[in-house]
Amino acid sequence: MYVFMVFAALSVAVSPEPWVSFAYFCITFSAFFITLQFNTNLTDSQFTQGLKLYSFLSTLLLVLYAVYYFKSGVRLGDELKSMGSNAIAVMSVSAILTAITFRTKIVRYSIMAAGITILYLTGSRASALFMIISLSISSLIAIKTLSARGKIALAGFVLTFFIVAAVYYESILQHMETFFAVHDKWRGVGTGATGRQYAWRETWELFLGSPITGVGFRAHERLMRSATSSHNGYLALLAETGFLGFSSAVYLILSGIAVLWQNAKNGKLINQQGILFGMCMGYLFLGLFERYLFNFGNATSLLFIMGIMAYRSDVEDISQAEPALEEIMRHA
């Protein structure tokens, strides 16, 4: 984390808008610090309660937004341009995933149904795939905790799902083609990821022009000509902080993912850690299409940061692992 922040700070000096880059640098460092405080100071039950509260309040906010602003034929979020449909969709996915923490099924599935409805109204294809990937991985991990009766019920649900899908496959296929805009002139297959390949190429050229220091933290958009942004969080981070800054960020993410996986496997925190692991894996896919990888303007991105800042749940107490620290504390 510190290595990444060093190169982010260095990139401020070459940024076309240094004060903007410096402000984002300060926000990013603060967000890292705050998420570390949450991860290390909350108990497991407090963390779970926090996820429940987030899921409920986020869904309530999204539903009220949809009721007030939804217009037929317009993607939810496009009418005001205040957040944008993709931002609303990303937020709805995290609300759906964190709803799994509710033990009461009617509450859990009601929140998930509301979140999926909001997601559908936004028409965001990347977020829809983000949800599918995250839910699939989280569900596979959660199977470990199911009783024999629960596994039988799950098998029955899966069998019923495939039977219904086989009967109504034509209608389902038609709706999927419509939602994912497969044949759309501007967003369909053959449009180069909705024209994003031009932005990706230009972002790559920005990196080649400044591979060590980058072009400035959160400043690549100011240099873009073919699009408003890179529409790829990985390329954006690479161009902004250079190869070494990007490499440290990748190491930070992968090491955090590895810790989440270990926590999810040990059974102690399988529910919340499994949810965060699935969310992080889906978010890494989403990064292929969103403008930023570390984006602190969206609550889902903050949950992603909390995920990669996870700590090992099976390590020994620090007073046992660090005798020197214990000695200092005793003298104090």
Side-chain angles (χ1 to χ4, degrees):
M1 183 189 72
Y2 285 121
V3 172
F4 169 73
M5 295 310 301
V6 165
F7 282 95
L10 290 175
S11 71
V12 172
V14 298
S15 172
E17 295 185 0
W19 287 110
V20 174
S21 293
F22 179 72
Y24 276 116
F25 167 81
C26 294
I27 293 171
T28 302
F29 187 82
S30 299
F32 277 133
F33 179 77
I34 291 169
T35 52
L36 279 173
Q37 294 301 309
F38 270 93
N39 282 359
T40 55
N41 288 297
L42 293 180
T43 64
D44 299 340
S45 61
Q46 288 173 335
F47 198 94
T48 301
Q49 289 299 321
L51 293 179
K52 291 179 180 179
L53 187 62
Y54 167 77
S55 180
F56 176 77
L57 293 179
S58 297
T59 304
L60 179 62
L61 175 64
L62 291 169
V63 169
L64 291 175
Y65 183 91
V67 170
Y68 191 79
Y69 289 112
F70 174 70
K71 295 180 181 178
S72 180
V74 180
R75 294 174 64 191
L76 183 64
D78 283 353
E79 61 284 330
L80 290 181
K81 301 295 183 181
S82 56
M83 286 184 65
S85 57
N86 289 333
I88 294 174
V90 169
M91 186 174 175
S92 68
V93 173
S94 61
I96 294 167
L97 291 170
T98 51
I100 300 174
T101 55
F102 285 96
R103 290 185 176 274
T104 306
K105 293 182 179 180
I106 188 171
V107 176
R108 180 197 307 167
Y109 294 124
S110 295
I111 292 177
M112 294 179 73
I116 292 173
T117 302
I118 298 296
L119 175 60
Y120 179 80
L121 294 177
T122 64
S124 177
R125 298 171 296 176
S127 293
L129 293 174
F130 169 26
M131 180 196 70
I132 293 171
I133 293 171
S134 301
L135 274 179
S136 299
I137 294 175
S138 298
S139 298
L140 287 174
I141 294 174
I143 289 175
K144 181 179 178 181
T145 63
L146 291 177
S147 62
R149 186 176 180 180
K151 291 179 180 178
I152 293 174
L154 177 62
F157 172 80
V158 172
L159 180 61
T160 303
F161 172 81
F162 279 108
I163 292 175
V164 173
V167 173
Y168 297 100
Y169 79 95
E170 291 184 354
S171 178
I172 294 173
L173 185 61
Q174 182 179 358
H175 280 86
M176 290 183 64
E177 288 180 350
T178 302
F179 179 81
F180 287 100
V182 176
H183 303 295
D184 188 270
K185 180 179 180 181
W186 305 108
R187 303 176 67 206
V189 176
T191 60
T194 320
R196 286 184 172 91
Q197 80 273 22
Y198 303 110
W200 295 345
R201 184 182 300 117
E202 186 177 0
T203 309
W204 175 253
E205 291 172 353
L206 289 177
F207 160 69
L208 294 179
S210 185
I212 304 300
T213 61
V215 298
F217 190 53
R218 295 293 289 262
H220 82 278
E221 294 178 333
R222 278 74 179 177
L223 302 173
M224 296 286 290
R225 296 292 180 268
S226 62
T228 56
S229 73
S230 67
H231 293 289
N232 186 299
Y234 301 99
L235 286 175
L237 197 63
L238 180 64
E240 290 174 350
T241 62
F243 177 75
L244 295 177
F246 174 76
S247 299
S248 61
V250 170
Y251 178 82
L252 174 65
I253 292 171
L254 294 180
S255 61
I257 293 291
V259 170
L260 276 178
W261 174 243
Q262 291 297 324
N263 288 345
K265 286 198 306 180
N266 70 21
K268 182 180 178 182
L269 301 173
I270 191 167
N271 191 22
Q272 58 176 251
Q273 298 294 301
I275 292 170
L276 287 176
F277 179 79
M279 180 183 298
C280 286
M281 295 303 293
Y283 191 90
L284 292 179
F285 166 81
L286 185 69
L288 295 171
F289 304 98
E290 289 297 317
R291 62 178 63 188
Y292 296 121
L293 194 59
F294 296 146
N295 179 16
F296 303 101
N298 193 296
T300 302
S301 298
L302 285 173
L303 286 174
F304 169 70
I305 298 300
M306 291 184 72
I308 64 172
M309 291 292 183
Y311 63 95
R312 287 288 296 275
S313 64
D314 57 348
V315 296
E316 296 179 345
D317 184 81
I318 190 169
S319 61
Q320 299 174 0
E322 298 286 352
L325 179 58
E326 185 179 10
E327 182 73 12
I328 292 172
M329 292 174 65
R330 184 166 60 251
H331 284 295

